[in-house]
Amino acid sequence: MSTAPRVYIARLAGLSVFDPNGDQVGRVRDAVARMRAGTQPPRVVGLVAEMPMRRRIFLPIGRITAIEPDAVVLNTGTLNLRRFEKRPGELLVLEDFMDRHVSVAATGRTGAVVDVAMDADRTGEWSLSRVAVREFTGRLTRRGHLNQLEWSEVTGLAGESQTQGTAGILAVLDNMRAADLANVLQDLSESRRVEVATALDDERLADVLEELPEHDQLEIITALEPQRAADVLEEMDPDDAADLLAEMPKPEQEVLLDLMEPDEASPVRALLEYAPGTAGAVMTSEPIVMAPDNTVAEALARIREPQLSPAVAAGVFVTRPPMATPTGRYLGVVHFQRLLREPPSALLGGVVDNDIDPLAPDLTLAEITRRMATYNLVVMPVVDDNDKLVGAVTVDDVLDHLLPDDWRDRDHAETLNIAIPGSAGGTRG
């Protein structure tokens, strides 16, 4: 293997993994080590990589040709795609050691693990070799000394961790998309999952909750203090917050809704009134709404706002005042492609599309799907009997409800193999 003589594993997290043809097959998420007898440090047996569709697989260390500063390169294009699961005696380096509270044997001082290094011997076998430990100072404003220690110079690495923080693992996960971070959380133990999730700030936790299956959402939200839970719900999209609250007993719903700011709780309460499986239940109550005398330039500025999802940004709905849902009379929609074709100074009232009937709040999911497929749309308005816009259904809303209830759960599919002709195969040893 062509690589640096020592590799720090936290720095591997997030690196792209390439096959011999230069095609990216995933990203590194952790390293797998196996405990050994006596005082010998654990042997590194491979890496965990995350593939598309959130599948985490095992890459044997012998299949890795090079570990470079910006990439990991494989010597084979044949991958065993069975979802990775720890075997007895194995551990995940970042998951099990990052932020663990340990002691420096020579001084007795305590600290937290911030990284672990692995080294290769003459035979090419990799072992965990050094541990980066930041000492505790007892002062919130002062960073402790960082020690680079041999594995044998640190105590508290063996066995179950009694105390483990979250700062280091959060730093490693910081740049992940919310959906990828949600997948990582699902692979943690229940206690560690709640510990890491609750350490996220409110906005980040809200984004991650939206990507988790319902049972994990409930596990985390119920572990929070009620006021913190209400704050997180305020950061979620109203439709996602309503879906989560709908899984809770009515008394608990009311407690959290009462703790939310009235302006934030109001659309969530409205969504909870609709029957499950209808347009009202699956819609977002915060589409882009503008007046007919707004210009195309103003509409383009709105759809460029980074917090909007691509599906929500696909259309601007034009209504009479008031502009918050339920709005004044609905006039039509301007799709983003139409905005790109019109002069920036043109008024939205002159370019609206109103020849497709909007959805009624009680329309069923099957009919919504048929309508969106018929007209090749990714977003459609939901209008009540008084011609007021109450929300919009997006294609991701529809997919979320058409897929099985457990589609966000970890995949335990059977082993699949993808081979590049002429490359050597391999299974986990």
Side-chain angles (χ1 to χ4, degrees), residues 213-243:
E214 290 171 353
H215 58 84
D216 286 334
Q217 290 181 343
L218 287 170
E219 174 188 79
I220 292 168
I221 204 74
T222 55
L224 303 176
E225 292 293 327
Q227 185 57 64
R228 171 93 199 276
D231 292 341
V232 172
L233 288 167
E234 289 175 358
E235 296 292 339
M236 297 176 69
D237 290 336
D239 53 325
D240 291 306
D243 288 342

Side-chain angles (χ1 to χ4, degrees), residues 1 3 7 12 31-32 43-47 58-67 72-75 118-120 124-127 429:
M1 179 189 298
T3 183
V7 177
L12 287 180
V32 185
R43 180 168 66 91
V44 179
V45 295
L47 302 178
F58 177 76
L59 301 176
I61 199 73
R63 293 286 185 256
I64 297 172
T65 300
I67 299 177
V72 171
V73 183
L74 304 178
N75 63 9
M118 63 181 189
D119 284 275
E125 182 176 283
W126 288 80
S127 299

Side-chain angles (χ1 to χ4, degrees), residues 70-211:
D70 57 352
V72 171
V73 183
L74 304 178
N75 63 9
T76 177
T78 300
L79 303 176
N80 184 337
L81 297 186
R82 182 186 296 276
R83 173 172 278 281
F84 167 79
E85 291 184 357
K86 281 196 294 188
R87 294 178 175 179
E90 288 183 345
L91 51 86
L92 288 170
V93 177
L94 298 181
E95 179 180 327
D96 293 325
F97 292 132
M98 185 70 74
D99 299 307
R100 182 184 284 233
H101 292 191
V102 295
S103 299
V104 180
T107 65
R109 292 179 179 176
T110 58
V113 175
V114 297
D115 208 344
V116 180
M118 63 181 189
D119 284 275
D121 61 20
R122 294 179 180 178
T123 66
E125 182 176 283
W126 288 80
S127 299
L128 300 182
S129 57
R130 293 180 69 81
V131 185
V133 178
R134 187 174 298 281
E135 293 181 1
F136 297 132
T137 66
R139 299 181 184 179
L140 294 176
T141 57
R142 182 180 174 186
R143 289 169 64 89
H145 180 68
L146 184 64
N147 297 299
Q148 301 281 346
L149 302 165
E150 296 294 333
W151 185 269
S152 59
E153 295 176 321
V154 179
T155 60
L157 291 169
E160 292 291 328
S161 173
Q162 298 301 313
T163 310
Q164 194 170 2
T166 58
I169 193 67
L170 290 179
V172 171
L173 304 177
D174 185 56
N175 294 323
M176 282 189 181
R177 291 176 179 267
D180 295 331
L181 177 51
N183 192 41
V184 171
L185 289 181
Q186 288 185 71
D187 285 307
L188 300 179
S189 66
E190 179 178 332
S191 60
R192 186 63 171 156
R193 177 165 56 247
V194 171
E195 186 178 38
V196 173
T198 55
L200 298 169
D201 64 53
D202 291 352
E203 184 176 358
R204 179 74 158 155
L205 178 54
D207 291 340
V208 171
L209 284 176
E210 292 175 359
E211 303 295 339

Side-chain angles (χ1 to χ4, degrees), residues 210 233-245 260 263-269 271-272 281 283-286:
E210 292 175 359
L233 288 167
E234 289 175 358
E235 296 292 339
M236 297 176 69
D237 290 336
D239 53 325
D240 291 306
D243 288 342
L244 174 52
L245 285 169
M260 293 172 67
D263 288 348
E264 299 288 347
S266 179
V268 178
R269 289 182 185 277
L271 289 169
L272 286 168
M283 71 183 181
T284 174
S285 58
E286 296 182 344

Side-chain angles (χ1 to χ4, degrees), residues 339-351:
L339 292 172
L340 296 174
R341 293 196 298 264
E342 297 294 335
S345 59
L347 299 181
L348 296 182
V351 297

